[in-house]
Amino acid sequence: MKKNRRMIMKKKENVVKKVKIVKSEYANEELLKNFYNYLKESEILEVEDVKEADLLISLGGDGTMLKAAKEAIISDIPILAINLGSLGYLVEINPENAVEMLKNYQKNENYKIENRSLMEVKYNGNTFYALNELVITKGGHEAHLIQVEVFSNGIFVNKYRADGIIVATPTGSTAYSLSAGGSIVHPNLNALIITPLSPQSLTARPIVINGCETLSFKATSREAEVHLNIDGNLWFGIKPEDELLATLSSKKIKIIKPINSNYFGILREKLKWGDFVL
């Protein structure tokens, strides 16, 4: 009889020879001495052009992660996000664990990839991507409210008279939208959240819609300027005749996470669920 032989397949390792680093100007890089030493010892080079990189490294908090996401879209490479900020819904890896996580990724073991959806925003023929949200808001120093009409696939949704509205992705549901009273939406759901900012009507409530639908907007004001903000780092002045569309994109960013990362555990930790209020 012939013996049955099992072919043991070795996991293909992830080659990391070049990295693009996006960091906060407030990042305390003293906490990353071991990490930088590892990059040097492993002959991993830092490059400026993300298209040359095998891996994108974010050093900071969730705000830095938003900037890193814009880079990741260009070359479709994963992000290793190291938390040098304060809150960190997206950024879970602490500086002391950074070397271990990079090694795990290189060995292709003890980590997982979390995919996060992006929102595609089209403004006057130009396309932008948001990981968190777009915000239509009043500008300048005037206290006047603005009026925003929202349509979904051409069907009228509502007319908001408010300081503005937030349209958030599931990832962005724990950011600005949450602070404005919006719902928390699991990142695996195909959805967008419309949250009014200080609406005049008490019955104007946040709503969760199908992310496959295309939202369009008409924003007007008699006195105040109207601004469009995308992920806190792109600003435009908008007019009633401007074309503004938003839908959930098929593009996703890939975030390297610890193997035991748990979305609900993060919510419990960050939002202090279950804690006693004194």
Side-chain angles (χ1 to χ4, degrees):
M1 292 179 63
K2 292 182 178 180
K3 291 182 178 180
N4 291 328
R5 295 181 179 179
R6 289 185 178 179
M7 184 178 290
I8 300 174
M9 300 294 292
K10 185 179 179 181
K11 284 185 177 181
K12 185 179 179 181
E13 295 185 347
N14 293 310
V15 177
V16 180
K17 293 184 177 180
K18 297 179 180 180
V19 296
K20 165 75 177 184
I21 298 177
V22 178
K23 58 187 174 183
S24 166
E25 60 181 307
Y26 306 108
N28 182 4
E29 293 181 89
E30 288 293 314
L31 299 174
L32 295 168
K33 281 184 177 180
N34 291 339
F35 185 72
Y36 282 127
N37 286 337
Y38 178 75
L39 294 181
K40 186 176 180 181
E41 291 166 4
S42 303
E43 297 182 341
I44 298 174
L45 302 177
E46 181 181 353
V47 296
E48 289 298 321
D49 188 349
V50 70
K51 293 179 182 178
E52 298 177 6
D54 305 304
L55 179 68
L56 205 154
I57 298 173
S58 172
L59 305 177
D62 286 347
T64 308
M65 181 67 180
L66 295 180
K67 296 177 183 177
K70 303 297 187 295
E71 298 273 358
I73 297 168
I74 299 171
S75 60
D76 192 32
I77 56 176
I79 303 173
L80 181 70
I82 301 169
N83 190 7
L84 297 176
S86 53
L87 195 57
Y89 279 101
L90 293 171
V91 187
E92 295 180 59
I93 301 170
N94 294 322
E96 57 268 27
N97 300 325
V99 173
E100 179 185 5
M101 282 304 304
L102 179 51
K103 285 181 178 179
N104 288 347
Y105 175 73
Q106 289 175 295
K107 295 175 184 177
N108 198 10
E109 62 184 23
N110 296 324
Y111 78 96
K112 63 182 180 180
I113 294 289
E114 187 172 276
N115 294 299
R116 292 293 183 114
S117 297
L118 296 157
M119 178 167 48
E120 182 177 286
V121 182
K122 292 187 177 180
Y123 171 62
N124 286 347
N126 297 306
T127 301
F128 306 92
Y129 292 93
L131 179 58
N132 269 359
E133 74 275 304
L134 72 78
V135 182
I136 300 172
T137 184
K138 64 182 182 181
H141 300 290
E142 298 291 334
H144 303 289
L145 301 178
I146 63 172
Q147 184 170 280
V148 184
E149 296 179 40
V150 182
F151 302 82
S152 180
N153 286 350
I155 299 173
F156 179 65
V157 176
N158 198 9
K159 182 188 294 182
Y160 298 95
R161 184 164 169 78
D163 284 349
I165 65 166
I166 302 167
V167 181
T169 66
T171 295
S173 72
T174 53
Y176 192 7
S177 177
L178 180 62
S179 67
S183 301
I184 296 174
V185 176
H186 193 281
N188 289 346
L189 293 179
N190 183 26
L192 290 172
I193 307 96
I194 304 171
T195 305
L197 282 169
S198 302
Q200 186 181 53
S201 170
L202 294 177
T203 59
R205 299 289 93 192
I207 182 171
V208 180
I209 68 161
N210 190 331
C212 293
E213 298 186 11
T214 299
L215 297 176
S216 55
F217 312 88
K218 183 179 179 181
T220 56
S221 175
R222 286 179 297 178
E223 297 93 357
E225 300 174 355
V226 181
H227 288 170
L228 166 66
N229 173 270
I230 300 173
D231 266 356
N233 50 46
L234 286 175
W235 288 86
F236 304 96
I238 59 175
K239 300 176 181 178
E241 62 270 21
D242 288 346
E243 182 186 55
L244 177 58
L245 307 172
T247 189
L248 209 60
S249 173
S250 60
K251 292 188 176 183
K252 298 179 184 290
I253 63 163
K254 297 175 287 190
I255 308 173
I256 298 169
K257 296 271 189 171
I259 193 69
N260 60 351
S261 174
N262 179 288
Y263 177 72
F264 297 107
I266 293 169
L267 288 182
R268 287 195 303 272
E269 177 191 350
K270 304 301 180 182
L271 298 179
K272 308 299 182 184
W273 284 354
D275 284 8
F276 291 103
V277 179
L278 299 177

